[in-house]
Amino acid sequence: MSAQQGRRRPSPITFLCWALILVLVQGCATLRPRKPLPSDMESKVEMPGIPGVRAWGDEVSKVFTDYALESIRQEEAAFGREFLKTPAHFLALSGGGDDGAFGAGVLCGWTAYGDRPKFKLVTGISTGALIAPFAFLGSSYDDILRRLYTGISSRDIFRLRSLFTVLWQDAAADTRPLAGKLDQYVDAALLAAIAAEHRQGRRLIIGTTQLDAQRLVLWDMGALAASGHPEAAKLFRKIMLASASIPGAFPPQYIQVEAAGRWYEEMHVDGGTTAQVVLYENALKPLATIYDADPVLRRRSRVLYIIRNSQIKPEWEEVRPRLAAIGSRAIATLIKTQGIGDLYRLYVFAQRDKIDYNLAAIPSDRAPSRPREPFQRAYMNALFDLGYEMASRGYPWLKHPPGFDPDPLFWKADQKQVSEQNRLP
């Protein structure tokens, strides 16, 4: 093996650590001028000329709740009242970087198995945001998913900047290669197809993190596609790129907004900074409340599929006693544990809103060895093939988040023990 072959190329998380170190010497650098949205304007923020396409993920949004009601009316208008008795299927696609190849493989294998549903709602975070539009449009876009996750390498995603350049920039790498891929695939025809599905009552949501506010933003991408705004395609691609932009490693996306008649510029980064996977969070009033208001909808079954583009169990790795290696491993551990917490959060939503919970994740005992560089083609192909093979045979969906035992006998015994312990003498 040559010295070049043996040299480990830094992962996005590793050079994120180096980027944070450079903060110490970047204090004298010239900052990019911008006018951030003030905190007292957060409740008034809108997209100029495209109202109602975004909501904060941590509070109820009247617009998003109204859109949910509207989606039911659109379904009835498009397919008739009887259609509202058919199951409503939801798909939530998580973050995971190059591990997104697993989710792409699951979707394509699901098509091959023959029972992949047409989803009423698709959500995406980070790499899941890159998958989501194509998953939303269905199996006719499987070839694009396959190409995106088996035919690329790191050079198709980012270019590392030089040390001197990083001192004057907002990230350690340049993601123009990924932006070029989005320009290629997210075109007017794709937006028109998404808009048509949106008008029939389906919804596509992508999450980003508004970094100044430390808050999750949910974007109604179908409403954006259907808006007819001349900048809709550009904003659509920018939101996808923002959701996959690891802060410090990849450049944030700056989005112009309006509040109380004034213009501001928000900084949006990886949705995985605030959540690894989302459903509709708190932006939508409980779905059960909306459904239970109608006697037909009350009987409509709801099914949630979560694809976690990561391993759930801990992954052993020898950590070198170096600052970047320790920092990288710590951040990766935080992301893994955050992701597990998110699976529990969605389980609570599912229980509250009477939704059948189904979870897929990379099985630890069958996962390929992680390569020395991110977005390594052979690794992504192996992950895609693994997801495809599992789904093409009928994916063995997990019915509960990891480590949770819902067995009623277990809970009854546990509750009895607690009751006896708390009994007064």
Side-chain angles (χ1 to χ4, degrees):
M1 178 181 292
S2 68
Q4 180 66 27
Q5 290 173 320
R7 186 180 301 123
R8 183 184 179 93
R9 185 168 186 173
S11 70
I13 291 178
T14 300
F15 61 77
L16 165 59
C17 291
W18 281 113
L20 295 177
I21 294 168
L22 289 170
V23 168
L24 297 174
V25 294
Q26 198 183 33
C28 297
T30 301
L31 298 177
R32 181 188 186 279
R34 73 184 185 96
K35 186 180 179 182
L37 178 75
S39 60
D40 60 355
M41 291 290 182
E42 289 177 6
S43 62
K44 301 178 177 65
V45 64
E46 282 285 2
M47 296 306 301
I50 326 175
V53 298
R54 56 171 280 166
W56 298 109
D58 55 5
E59 66 181 25
V60 174
S61 165
K62 183 180 183 305
V63 171
F64 269 41
T65 301
D66 289 346
Y67 278 0
L69 292 168
E70 180 191 34
S71 76
I72 296 167
R73 290 192 291 267
Q74 289 172 325
E75 284 181 308
E76 184 175 0
F79 307 109
R81 184 71 170 168
E82 287 298 307
F83 181 81
L84 299 182
K85 297 179 181 179
T86 62
H89 296 93
F90 310 143
L91 174 67
L93 298 158
S94 85
D98 48 9
D99 284 350
F102 174 77
V106 168
L107 287 165
C108 293
W110 201 349
T111 298
Y113 186 69
D115 68 347
R116 176 176 160 185
K118 191 172 187 177
F119 301 104
K120 176 172 176 58
L121 170 68
V122 175
T123 71
I125 286 281
S126 196
T127 195
L130 303 180
I131 299 172
F134 308 106
F136 178 78
L137 290 176
S139 58
S140 59
Y141 285 78
D142 282 0
D143 285 345
I144 293 179
L145 272 182
R146 185 187 295 271
R147 291 200 298 271
L148 281 175
Y149 281 92
T150 64
I152 64 169
S153 62
S154 58
R155 67 172 59 92
D156 300 300
I157 305 296
F158 65 87
R159 296 282 191 276
L160 286 174
R161 289 167 171 163
S162 69
L163 178 62
F164 178 78
T165 302
V166 168
L167 294 176
W168 307 91
Q169 297 289 339
D170 52 10
D174 182 346
T175 51
R176 277 181 289 184
L178 177 56
K181 288 288 182 184
L182 294 179
D183 288 342
Q184 177 182 352
Y185 290 113
V186 183
D187 55 13
L190 184 130
L191 258 67
I194 290 173
E197 296 296 328
H198 177 83
R199 295 187 185 102
Q200 293 184 349
R202 300 179 63 216
R203 294 295 182 259
L204 170 62
I205 293 176
I206 285 177
T208 63
T209 298
Q210 207 271 46
L211 202 55
D212 292 310
Q214 290 188 323
R215 297 177 72 181
L216 174 70
V217 176
L218 299 180
W219 299 87
D220 188 333
M221 305 298 279
L224 175 58
S227 69
H229 194 278
E231 296 293 313
K234 181 179 179 182
L235 179 58
F236 196 106
R237 291 189 290 266
K238 180 172 280 194
I239 292 167
M240 291 179 67
L241 187 58
S243 187
S245 294
I246 304 168
F250 297 160
Q253 297 300 303
Y254 300 95
I255 297 178
Q256 282 196 331
V257 297
E258 186 178 5
R262 297 180 181 178
W263 288 71
Y264 300 97
E265 189 177 59
E266 291 183 323
M267 180 187 292
H268 286 257
V269 299
D270 195 335
T273 307
T274 44
Q276 285 297 304
V277 60
V278 296
L279 188 52
Y280 38 71
E281 307 314 284
N282 295 320
L284 179 64
K285 285 183 180 178
L287 194 69
T289 302
I290 295 173
Y291 274 45
D292 288 348
D294 185 288
V296 173
L297 291 173
R298 193 179 301 137
R299 296 190 296 272
R300 188 179 197 183
S301 61
R302 305 145 215 171
V303 186
L304 168 63
Y305 297 96
I306 304 167
I307 298 180
R308 178 67 178 115
N309 293 300
S310 175
Q311 296 183 48
I312 294 176
K313 293 183 179 179
E315 302 169 66
W316 193 92
E317 178 183 306
E318 182 179 353
V319 181
R320 298 181 63 199
R322 299 289 186 272
L323 178 59
I326 294 171
S328 174
R329 184 64 169 171
I331 292 172
T333 303
L334 285 170
I335 291 172
K336 179 182 286 290
T337 53
Q338 177 202 25
I340 293 172
D342 289 339
L343 299 179
Y344 275 84
R345 189 189 73 254
L346 265 60
Y347 186 73
V348 171
F349 284 161
Q351 293 295 298
R352 182 194 68 184
D353 295 345
K354 304 172 186 176
I355 304 173
D356 181 27
Y357 182 97
N358 298 271
L359 169 64
I362 300 174
S364 299
D365 58 344
R366 300 185 61 187
S369 299
R370 187 163 291 280
R372 291 183 173 273
E373 69 174 58
F375 303 101
Q376 202 263 354
R377 186 173 296 182
Y379 173 75
M380 295 176 71
N381 273 264
L383 270 182
F384 181 94
D385 291 343
L386 173 61
Y388 186 96
E389 183 268 330
M390 294 181 72
S392 64
R393 297 183 179 184
Y395 196 92
W397 298 94
L398 303 175
K399 303 301 293 183
H400 308 95
F404 180 72
D405 187 349
D407 183 83
L409 295 178
F410 169 83
W411 288 108
K412 287 179 181 178
D414 184 61
Q415 289 169 0
K416 181 179 179 182
Q417 182 181 6
V418 170
S419 177
E420 290 175 351
Q421 289 174 346
N422 293 337
R423 186 177 301 159
L424 292 174

